[in-house]
Amino acid sequence: MTERDREGWASAGPEPWRSRVPVVLVHGLRTSRTMWRVQVEALERSGRTAVAVDLPGHGVRRGERFSLEAADETLVRAVDDVGGRALVVGLSLGGYVAIAHAARHPEQVVGLVAASCCTRPWRPLVDGWAVAASVIARLPDAGARLNQLLVERMLPPAGVADSGAGGFALEVMVDVLRAIRSARPLEDLARVDAPVWLVNGRFDHFRGEERAFLRACRHGRLVVVPGATHLVSLVRPTRFTRVLLEAVAEVEGVVEGAVPLGVGPTSEGQRPGADTADDAGLVGHHDDVVAEPVQHLR
């Protein structure tokens, strides 16, 4: 195990080419960096550097206390490690962390993919989750069996394996729910000048305010993945990976000045997927991504 693995980082890919933008990925609540194995492999095959991090209290960092400040520090270190600027990708809890990081450290973020986090953490809702979590925590196994049953019901076999490979941090729930009350994703998105992709599964219970989140973005677009639920990258990994590869390709065009901000492979009128990512065999042409039109704000 390398020093980076001991610190809770998993990376893939050669040193990025001059035109390649590195990618930092942030997992959701209770899972770990292993949930990104499909995306890290695809990014590696496309010649890019990818780093998936473990947030405090998760993965190899279980036992640490979670706070939004400590999570932000994790992202700052990860982006610094890949050169100081990156496309940052987060899902659910990781999405809220990534949005806050982009607002606080604009110099580090050339693009943001925020998945499954288009609901503000209303205090009554979060408090309700906290009550449920405290009840589950009192079960003899602290809810491990219930968690496993839910994972197996919601995810395909590969998603079950990837989400659980780093272990499930059931004990971190109280810290996370306490911390997330202070998150202000709409205000933070309004401060982000980099292009933003909001990616939701069609049946995600966290997409209730996606239009408000889109309106908050300076340069945003909304991608809805048909057939997917909350853990969109695990339920529909190929479709999510296509969106991710197109996002990083567009960001690279913006960085080089070849593509104006807000115009790229996911522009309206273009079918997602018809780009070099498909030519490289990373995703299948038959796997349509967006059933609803990609929405833009400029």
Side-chain angles (χ1 to χ4, degrees):
M1 180 180 291
T2 67
E3 183 64 30
R4 182 176 296 169
D5 285 335
R6 284 192 291 271
E7 292 176 354
W9 298 17
S11 64
E15 289 299 313
W17 304 338
R18 183 178 299 273
S19 61
R20 295 302 199 192
V21 168
V23 181
V24 174
L25 304 105
V26 196
H27 60 79
L29 177 60
R30 298 193 304 276
T31 184
S32 73
R33 67 182 192 248
T34 65
M35 68 163 284
W36 296 114
R37 292 195 295 200
V38 169
Q39 287 73 39
V40 168
E41 179 183 357
L43 289 161
E44 178 184 27
R45 291 175 59 193
S46 72
R48 296 176 174 95
T49 293
V51 171
V53 301
D54 278 336
L55 292 173
H58 298 77
V60 299
R61 300 179 65 182
R62 289 179 69 177
E64 296 183 30
R65 300 299 298 269
F66 179 91
S67 69
L68 291 179
E69 293 75 16
D72 183 69
E73 291 170 3
T74 298
L75 272 185
V76 169
R77 292 196 305 270
V79 175
D80 279 344
D81 188 69
V82 296
R85 302 181 76 202
L87 174 71
V88 179
V89 182
L91 182 141
S92 193
L93 171 62
Y96 292 112
V97 170
I99 290 171
H101 168 264
R104 288 156 179 73
H105 308 280
E107 74 286 353
Q108 287 198 323
V109 180
V110 295
L112 171 65
V113 177
S116 307
C117 57
C118 284
T119 294
R120 280 173 287 181
W122 294 104
R123 189 179 186 106
L125 182 61
V126 174
D127 288 348
W129 292 338
V131 170
S134 66
V135 172
I136 293 171
R138 289 197 290 269
L139 293 173
D141 64 350
R145 183 179 179 186
L146 176 61
N147 180 78
Q148 189 63 33
L149 288 172
L150 290 173
V151 168
E152 292 176 356
R153 181 169 183 175
M154 293 187 300
L155 299 178
V160 172
D162 287 349
S163 65
F168 292 108
L170 305 181
E171 67 280 0
V172 80
M173 290 290 295
V174 172
D175 277 356
V176 170
L177 293 174
R178 183 184 299 116
I180 204 68
R181 292 171 180 156
S182 64
R184 297 293 182 268
L186 290 182
E187 292 89 337
D188 286 341
L189 281 172
R191 297 164 55 193
V192 177
D193 197 45
V196 177
W197 286 259
L198 303 172
V199 185
N200 294 320
R202 170 166 286 180
F203 304 110
D204 185 3
H205 54 291
F206 268 59
R207 63 174 291 208
E209 294 186 283
E210 61 187 17
R211 298 293 169 173
F213 274 61
L214 182 63
R215 287 193 297 271
C217 297
R218 298 183 184 182
H219 308 284
R221 72 287 315 275
L222 169 65
V223 182
V224 177
V225 179
T229 50
H230 182 60
L231 299 175
V232 56
S233 65
L234 293 166
V235 175
R236 292 290 185 270
T238 299
R239 296 178 177 186
F240 183 88
T241 301
R242 173 179 294 169
V243 175
L244 174 55
L245 289 166
E246 290 177 348
V248 71
E250 180 171 336
V251 165
E252 287 166 352
V254 171
V255 170
E256 293 179 347
V259 178
L261 188 61
V263 178
T266 51
S267 298
E268 292 183 57
Q270 297 186 15
R271 184 179 70 80
D275 71 351
T276 56
D278 293 273
D279 296 338
L282 298 171
V283 293
H285 280 279
H286 66 283
D287 218 358
D288 293 334
V289 175
V290 183
E292 301 175 12
V294 175
Q295 302 294 320
H296 291 260
L297 284 183
R298 297 196 180 100

